[in-house]
Amino acid sequence: MTKVEELAQGVLSGEIRSIARAITVIENNAPEAKKLVSSIYPHTGKAHIIGFTGAGGAGKSTLIEKIVREYRRNGKTVGVVAVDPTSPFTGGAFLGDRIRMQELSTDPGVFIRSMASRNYPGGIARATKDAVKVLDAAGKDIVIVETVGAGQSEVEIIKVAQTVVVVHAPGLGDEIQAIKAGIMEIADIFVVNKADRENANKTVMDIQAILQLNNKETAWKPPVLKTVALTGEGVPQLIEKIEEHRLLLEKGLKHKGSREKAEAELIEAIKEKVVSSVLEGLRKEGEFEQLVGEIVEREIDPASAAEKLLKKALKDAEA
Amino acid sequence: MQTERKIRVLIAKPGLDSHDRGAKVVARALRDAGMEVIYTGLRQTPEQIAETALQEDVDVIGLSILSGAHKTLFPRIMDLLKKKGLTDVTVFAGGIIPEEDVEEMKKLGIKEVFGPGTPTERIIKYVLENVPKRT
Amino acid sequence: MTMFDQKKLEEVKRERTRWEQTTLPNWLKQSRERKTEFHNHSGMQVKRVYTPEDMENMDYMRDLGFPGEYPFTRGVHATMYRGRLWTMRMFSGFGTAADTNRRFKYLLKEGETGLSIAFDYPTIMGYDSDHPMAKGEVGICGVAIASLKDMETLLDGIPLDKVTTSMTINGPAPILLAMYVAVGDTQGVPREKLGGTTQNDNLKEFFAQNLCIFPPKASVKLTTDIIEYCARHLPRWNPVSISGYHIREAGATALQELAFTIYDGISYVESTLERGLKVDDFAYRLSFFFASHNDFIEEIAKFRAARRLWAKLMKERFKAKSPRSMWMRMHVQTSGCTLTPQQPLNNIVRTTMQALSAVLGGTQSLHTNSFDEALCLPTEEAVRVALRTQQIVAHESGVTSTVDPLAGSYYVEALTNEMEEKAWEYIHKIDDMGGAIPAIEKGFFQKEIADSAYMYQREIEEKKRVIVGVNDYTIAEGKCPIEILRIEPKVETAQVASLRKLKRERDNRKVKEVLDKLHYSAEKDENLMPTIIEAVKAYVSLGEITEVLRMVYGEYKELIVI
């Protein structure tokens, strides 16, 4: 067996060290990463993947901890990928989501991995999607992804998760603006956490009001739930809703949903592949560097330069 | 796409003491030096520390303790790391560890002990030089 | 009334300008100053020279007044140390209750005037000595107190009507106070004669010391339970010691320490007023606890500004009538984080300066650190030197002969004003956030402190700040030259055994009964002090009581901000 095969084998048998190493290999985009993902891919598709997003301070990590506990009580195994931002200046990151879940870390039915965004946009890391596949292939029943939570448009999560939960809390300031600004469309379920605060009902009503603006006929109307993560209040109800959503996906939506997801993933993969192989060729020729110089000197604009390069690259490919 | 290897570090605080100023300053300095730092907060049991190191696949572990319980807790941590096969992880320690205990700690497999007042520069340099070379 | 005649001030201004144009440039030409800018720890720029111009807007009666009178800038007592010296209180505790009892008796014999109990981490976190989390920690950093039985041993032979005792305990403070009250009852001391302090400042735990057990709201409730209980039953007990010390040690600047501590004080006044007490019924018993760090004048200014600020708050914001409600009585400890393990004897000098700052700042009580504490728990010899340091300041330095000797110094007064002004800015900012708990939840304090701590470390590493023996004037150090106090593992074994024996032999039916009652009281949000006193008297352990409260309130998980 090659090393990659061995690693893949370890993942499939649910061996913790292998799962951890496999995620590192993917994160680092090591040479064997592609082979690894392709060898585990046939074994994925069994887990239900849930995304949690929403502004910082909403209590996502605490809520996730409670949800994981509830799933464990129901006999399910769980994987968690928690994403934190990478500093664009230093390239370093401080990964602190795990702290809310540390008591779960010694439960053999739970695997938690912290992940730096490494400047990938949209609230997750480039490797998040494949890390989820690793946990799926390793036999986790549920895989939870926690996004960066910087309050910006963290819409990438829909490419990864089947059920997206958007978490809010009363008193976070202009969080309702944030919902309007983009994450409204991605939510399958809304949660107003810290619902023991006095203005929680207002937050619920605000969200409902925005939802009513969207009067498209859909099979699934995103519910708005209340939770108190600190005490676990409302968590069973949330899980019930997630389960309902999963069943609906299974019945019919699933096909559509998974086709869309597959399409998006394929396009993404093509982009990545095309860019890296074209770039590689261009850099070898030296023309790339030359054009960069010309752009700097304002002799040519970037779009025209790209056209020029691509024409040549495609011709080369045909030849 | 190029390979983008990052150094992953776990800063862990075993023991019941709450003096996390040092641990946090070190965590921040390592982050600012471009590393990915996992900090799990106060009062971690040896089991939690070892399991976190395993799941997070870290290259380096920094243990900080000021409660005086290092002689009880460090052997348990090192033993668990060994049991989980994490022998290639570099472990260093900091906090209040009397000089006469340092030898004993090193015998356990702790590579370096940094006392109070150690410049973070030195710790960064140490980590960079002692990251295990892994494939 | 300003302090200087307008004409005279004009003259000073003129003369200063002249000096800056003639004398000064000649000096600067000959030799440049060591730095382009001088700053104190709070980041305030320090001027080359201070003059009456810096006191231009001061009004003696409004801003300083007389000692023992509003606004208490010069001290809360009219005669200060001419009357009574500060209480020399040495924080101590290690090993078993019997070990610490012996150290207490030694300290009292050496001239200490009050006890101060350091508890071990399991006690502080509400775990019994036999809890799995306690392994390796029992009796190490303080004394292990798991039940009333331990407290009885700890205070054996110490008359509680003659000695006052300070207990550094927060989350489990109601339990330890209950034990102290129980021992007092056994000694036959009337409750109104019991004197001492429980630290009981839970708010600062969330952003400075991190020894939190319960979430913020429940924690403030417990703090308030003690304040309320003391106001009604223990008139000589300081129910809370509102602590800046830990805020400072966590890395805050002097200014942040001042502002955040005062804000915690505001929060406790508010939470107690909500219980229906009048401000003058309890405010006179609130006490404060600050650090004394290295910048000599900055610290003095901080203490003076703190007193004036608190007096104004109590009078104006809370409408206190009694002057005693406006007193800020403080305990000061020299700063532990300034101690260096390198050339440890240098720490005696640091501690001396810090002690002198505290005394010139008008403290009521002082703890001086021992020079070996960056290395280990202090040995008896090191503790004696630390206590002697206070005695030398008290009896040999002469600074105790007059009240507030530095008043009127241009620099001291200017800095006192600046400290107060900037602290007000923080107070308004936290008010705008909705108070201390929302600010904690947003990570505001945590971020402020973490940034300052990081900055301080950077300054040291970049040598912008010289720490003697650490980043300059270093020597090659051989083996640690000082003797180290070690706690034997047999302490834990013995403590666990005696606790288990107690748990077997007590009336366990009664234990269950009172724990059920406690659970009920906690859920009904009653003041828990009476039930907890009943519980400790039935030898219910600290861990058992805390466990019930954990069930009712939940457990706090720290918010990490770096």
Side-chain angles (χ1 to χ4, degrees):
Chain A
M1 258 200 295
T2 64
K3 261 180 122 180
V4 182
E5 283 166 335
E6 235 172 86
L7 195 55
Q9 207 49 53
V11 169
L12 295 179
S13 63
E15 201 256 319
I16 303 176
R17 186 96 210 263
S18 301
I19 300 173
R21 295 313 317 260
I23 297 177
T24 306
V25 163
I26 291 166
E27 263 201 301
N28 289 348
N29 207 21
E32 63 269 35
K34 278 207 179 75
K35 181 117 194 285
L36 175 70
V37 175
S38 64
S39 55
I40 59 165
Y41 190 76
H43 306 274
T44 60
K46 296 181 206 103
H48 185 58
I49 301 151
I50 311 166
F52 278 81
T53 188
K60 288 194 296 290
S61 306
T62 312
L63 185 62
I64 290 172
E65 197 250 3
K66 286 292 178 342
I67 286 166
V68 175
R69 276 180 195 276
E70 186 70 17
Y71 273 124
R72 293 295 295 137
R73 257 194 294 276
N74 303 341
K76 304 259 197 249
T77 55
V78 188
V80 179
V81 179
V83 188
D84 271 318
T86 291
S87 157
F89 305 109
T90 65
F94 181 74
L95 310 176
D97 287 331
R98 192 184 178 99
I99 187 168
R100 313 257 139 214
M101 313 173 195
Q102 259 318 64
E103 273 169 39
L104 299 167
S105 65
T106 51
D107 175 346
V110 178
F111 183 100
I112 305 168
R113 180 62 173 243
S114 316
M115 189 174 273
S117 71
R118 299 197 182 176
N119 297 325
Y120 189 78
I124 57 172
R126 186 190 49 76
T128 305
K129 210 183 318 171
D130 289 336
V132 167
K133 290 195 185 101
V134 169
L135 292 170
D136 185 349
K140 298 286 176 244
D141 300 316
I142 305 287
V143 178
I144 293 177
V145 178
E146 178 180 353
T147 69
V148 167
Q152 280 138 15
S153 57
E154 300 192 339
V155 293
E156 282 290 297
I157 187 70
I158 49 166
K159 296 187 187 158
V160 179
Q162 293 155 330
T163 302
V164 175
V165 181
V166 176
V167 187
H168 292 287
L172 284 185
D174 34 318
E175 76 273 29
I176 301 298
Q177 286 306 321
I179 321 175
K180 285 186 190 163
I183 49 178
M184 202 69 194
E185 291 81 8
I186 66 167
D188 297 306
I189 296 168
F190 279 98
V191 167
V192 174
N193 189 32
K194 304 188 182 180
D196 53 344
R197 295 196 177 167
E198 43 189 282
N199 41 358
N201 282 333
K202 189 180 172 299
T203 311
V204 172
M205 285 190 301
D206 285 347
I207 295 171
Q208 276 164 343
I210 302 169
L211 281 173
Q212 269 154 19
L213 295 177
N214 179 6
N215 45 15
K216 264 185 277 171
E217 267 312 306
T218 47
W220 176 261
K221 290 233 181 277
V224 186
L225 305 177
K226 289 201 281 187
T227 58
V228 183
L230 222 53
T231 60
E233 227 178 290
V235 168
Q237 291 81 346
L238 171 57
I239 285 188
E240 227 168 79
K241 278 289 169 203
I242 294 173
E243 183 61 10
E244 250 176 62
H245 188 248
R246 188 186 68 81
L247 286 173
L248 190 73
L249 289 178
E250 227 166 46
K251 262 198 251 151
L253 271 177
K254 181 168 186 167
H255 192 61
K256 185 173 157 280
S258 49
R259 267 206 83 87
E260 272 172 12
K261 232 160 241 153
E263 198 179 306
E265 258 189 75
L266 181 57
I267 292 175
E268 191 95 340
I270 291 172
K271 269 193 211 159
E272 210 169 89
K273 187 87 196 157
V274 167
V275 169
S276 63
S277 60
V278 168
L279 263 184
E280 200 179 328
L282 291 174
R283 277 186 199 272
K284 248 186 246 156
E285 308 268 319
E287 204 176 343
F288 182 84
E289 294 303 322
Q290 194 194 327
L291 278 168
V292 170
E294 286 174 25
I295 295 170
V296 173
E297 295 300 324
R298 296 286 187 275
E299 286 163 14
I300 188 169
D301 64 287
S304 309
E307 206 170 308
K308 200 167 154 189
L309 278 176
L310 279 176
K311 248 183 215 157
K312 186 170 175 301
L314 292 175
K315 218 183 284 161
D316 285 355
E318 272 166 35
Chain B
M1 288 284 282
Q2 298 149 322
T3 304
E4 43 170 345
R5 172 116 160 70
K6 292 268 183 189
I7 300 173
R8 287 171 69 86
V9 186
L10 170 64
I11 297 292
K13 269 204 65 58
L16 287 179
D17 76 279
S18 66
H19 300 100
D20 59 357
R21 177 172 175 176
K24 283 179 174 171
V25 166
V26 169
R28 190 157 167 174
L30 295 178
R31 178 196 64 180
D32 290 352
M35 303 178 202
E36 293 181 351
V37 182
I38 296 138
Y39 178 56
T40 46
L42 298 167
R43 294 183 271 277
Q44 297 290 299
T45 63
E47 289 74 14
Q48 286 172 330
I49 292 169
E51 193 59 35
T52 301
L54 177 68
Q55 294 178 8
E56 297 287 357
D57 194 28
V58 294
D59 306 294
V60 178
I61 303 173
L63 300 170
S64 164
I65 190 163
L66 291 87
S67 79
H70 52 277
K71 285 178 107 171
T72 311
L73 296 173
F74 283 8
R76 282 170 67 199
I77 295 169
M78 296 311 288
D79 188 44
L80 284 164
L81 290 178
K82 219 167 281 160
K83 278 190 186 135
K84 292 183 191 292
L86 301 178
T87 43
D88 59 346
V89 177
T90 300
V91 183
F92 70 88
I96 296 195
I97 294 163
E99 209 173 283
E100 52 188 74
D101 292 352
V102 169
E103 255 332 285
E104 195 184 324
M105 295 299 118
K106 287 193 173 169
K107 271 195 202 122
L108 294 171
I110 291 168
K111 283 237 179 94
E112 193 55 78
V113 176
F114 296 106
T118 308
T120 53
E121 287 291 312
R122 227 178 92 202
I123 299 175
I124 294 169
K125 194 160 162 267
Y126 174 83
V127 171
L128 290 174
E129 282 168 4
N130 287 279
V131 176
K133 293 204 178 23
R134 308 201 299 197
T135 46
Chain C
M1 186 201 86
T2 55
M3 315 228 326
F4 299 95
D5 173 82
Q6 207 49 48
K7 253 206 223 128
K8 286 279 174 200
L9 265 178
E10 293 293 327
E11 187 191 338
V12 171
K13 202 169 283 178
R14 223 169 32 240
E15 287 296 307
R16 189 201 13 99
T17 317
R18 181 199 50 75
W19 176 77
E20 279 171 352
Q21 286 163 354
T22 56
T23 309
L24 181 63
N26 285 333
W27 283 90
L28 290 177
K29 224 179 289 159
Q30 280 172 21
S31 71
R32 282 227 302 247
E33 290 181 330
R34 286 181 292 113
K35 290 186 258 185
T36 44
E37 281 188 353
F38 288 73
H39 289 100
N40 62 16
H41 285 206
S42 302
M44 298 164 182
Q45 203 174 325
V46 180
K47 291 193 201 178
R48 178 175 294 116
V49 64
Y50 287 79
T51 69
E53 289 172 89
D54 297 291
M55 289 169 68
E56 195 177 1
N57 298 317
M58 271 188 87
D59 180 318
Y60 182 83
M61 285 314 295
R62 183 195 64 199
D63 299 327
L64 300 178
F66 285 91
E69 284 183 6
Y70 188 83
F72 303 103
T73 315
R74 308 203 59 183
V76 292
H77 299 150
T79 58
M80 287 303 287
Y81 310 128
R82 287 168 66 101
R84 228 183 97 216
L85 291 167
W86 60 91
T87 307
M88 300 183 191
R89 213 184 270 288
M90 304 298 285
F91 188 45
S92 60
F94 59 91
T96 62
D99 295 331
T100 303
N101 178 265
R102 273 192 295 280
R103 174 69 66 99
F104 280 168
K105 287 178 174 160
Y106 167 78
L107 285 167
L108 290 170
K109 198 184 97 222
E110 289 295 316
E112 184 182 67
T113 48
L115 300 177
S116 176
I117 310 175
F119 297 99
D120 70 355
Y121 279 113
T123 308
I124 287 171
M125 290 308 296
Y127 296 120
D128 279 347
S129 309
D130 60 352
H131 190 283
M133 286 298 282
K135 200 144 182 44
E137 310 263 9
V138 174
I140 300 282
C141 279
V143 59
I145 301 290
S147 75
L148 176 58
K149 191 144 181 286
D150 295 332
M151 189 64 107
E152 287 164 349
T153 310
L154 180 71
L155 299 172
D156 181 55
I158 296 168
L160 300 193
D161 53 346
K162 300 215 169 59
V163 173
T164 61
T165 305
S166 167
M167 293 196 272
T168 300
I169 193 78
N170 294 281
I175 306 168
L176 289 140
L177 176 58
M179 290 178 187
Y180 197 85
V181 167
V183 174
D185 287 355
T186 316
Q187 284 190 7
V189 180
R191 289 193 183 173
E192 59 274 13
K193 279 206 169 155
L194 281 183
T197 306
T198 31
Q199 188 164 83
N200 189 31
D201 171 8
N202 281 312
L203 277 171
K204 59 102 175 45
E205 295 298 333
F206 294 98
F207 57 88
Q209 188 167 236
N210 299 314
L211 294 167
C212 330
I213 304 178
F214 314 112
K217 249 174 80 183
S219 299
V220 171
K221 178 244 181 314
L222 291 173
T223 295
T224 315
D225 275 4
I226 294 187
I227 300 176
E228 186 186 14
Y229 184 83
C230 290
R232 300 190 200 281
H233 305 284
L234 300 175
R236 288 192 58 213
W237 196 269
N238 301 310
V240 54
S241 171
I242 306 157
S243 305
Y245 182 81
H246 317 84
I247 299 175
R248 191 62 179 282
E249 289 285 293
T253 64
L255 170 66
Q256 289 166 331
E257 177 197 2
L258 167 63
F260 299 169
T261 309
I262 297 246
Y263 207 93
D264 288 344
I266 293 175
S267 312
Y268 298 134
V269 173
E270 285 172 348
S271 67
T272 311
L273 289 173
E274 280 168 23
R275 297 275 172 107
L277 269 86
K278 294 213 171 55
V279 68
D280 287 321
D281 293 341
F282 66 90
Y284 72 101
R285 271 291 155 204
L286 302 177
S287 63
F288 287 79
F289 172 23
F290 291 105
S292 188
H293 210 279
N294 282 338
D295 191 315
F296 188 67
I297 301 289
E298 182 181 17
E299 294 304 309
I300 296 169
K302 176 187 76 184
F303 299 127
R304 298 173 84 246
R307 258 194 314 272
R308 184 160 74 204
L309 216 169
W310 185 247
K312 285 186 189 170
L313 268 169
M314 293 312 293
K315 186 174 183 172
E316 287 158 21
R317 181 162 172 163
F318 295 110
K319 313 283 176 228
K321 295 273 177 312
S322 155
R324 294 204 49 170
S325 304
M326 303 168 205
W327 286 14
M328 172 186 268
R329 293 171 305 129
M330 60 173 89
H331 169 69
V332 174
Q333 179 172 342
T334 57
S335 171
C337 69
T338 63
L339 301 179
T340 68
Q342 298 89 348
Q343 306 176 39
L345 291 174
N346 294 348
N347 293 325
I348 300 176
V349 184
R350 293 192 179 96
T351 300
T352 307
M353 288 194 305
Q354 295 164 1
L356 198 53
S357 279
V359 169
L360 290 169
T363 192
Q364 277 58 59
S365 162
L366 181 61
H367 166 100
T368 35
N369 291 326
S370 303
F371 64 84
D372 53 359
E373 285 183 85
L375 298 157
C376 60
L377 286 177
T379 57
E380 212 155 89
E381 186 201 8
V383 175
R384 189 172 54 236
V385 172
L387 180 59
R388 293 290 180 257
T389 303
Q390 293 199 39
Q391 291 158 341
I392 290 167
V393 171
H395 301 289
E396 299 184 23
S397 75
V399 300
T400 49
S401 307
T402 185
V403 177
D404 191 23
L406 295 190
S409 146
Y410 308 125
Y411 180 32
V412 169
E413 296 301 354
L415 197 53
T416 304
N417 291 345
E418 193 174 353
M419 278 279 170
E420 187 193 338
E421 223 167 89
K422 296 233 159 85
W424 278 112
E425 283 169 24
Y426 267 121
I427 291 171
H428 295 140
K429 196 166 177 182
I430 302 164
D431 273 341
D432 289 343
M433 280 183 237
I437 292 182
I440 287 168
E441 286 169 347
K442 285 193 178 78
F444 170 73
F445 298 115
Q446 297 93 315
K447 179 81 184 137
E448 286 270 329
I449 295 170
D451 284 348
S452 297
Y454 194 55
M455 191 101 75
Y456 187 75
Q457 180 65 26
R458 297 243 45 93
E459 284 171 6
I460 293 173
E461 292 191 14
E462 287 159 14
K463 273 208 175 185
K464 285 183 187 155
R465 183 180 290 286
V466 171
I467 307 290
V468 174
V470 173
N471 63 358
D472 211 344
Y473 311 104
T474 53
I475 53 171
E477 290 186 68
K479 277 265 163 240
C480 179
I482 57 181
E483 178 207 347
I484 284 181
L485 176 71
R486 260 188 201 286
I487 307 299
E488 297 296 323
K490 66 174 193 250
V491 164
E492 182 165 327
T493 324
Q495 170 69 8
V496 169
S498 89
L499 179 62
R500 294 213 166 125
K501 181 162 177 281
L502 173 85
K503 285 180 178 174
R504 273 196 311 273
E505 291 173 0
R506 66 188 176 181
D507 178 356
N508 276 306
R509 212 173 39 106
K510 172 78 185 153
V511 168
K512 192 183 172 308
E513 206 179 286
V514 70
L515 281 175
D516 286 345
K517 185 173 165 189
L518 180 69
H519 196 281
Y520 178 81
S521 289
E523 278 190 333
K524 285 201 62 188
D525 211 20
E526 292 169 354
N527 191 319
L528 299 183
M529 276 310 295
T531 318
I532 293 178
I533 293 175
E534 194 184 330
V536 301
K537 284 188 172 180
Y539 293 98
V540 180
S541 71
L542 167 116
E544 291 162 334
I545 296 173
T546 314
E547 194 48 43
V548 166
L549 300 181
R550 278 192 168 101
M551 274 194 293
V552 178
Y553 300 132
E555 236 178 341
Y556 179 73
K557 289 220 179 64
E558 57 183 316
L559 172 67
I560 300 282
V561 182
I562 70 161

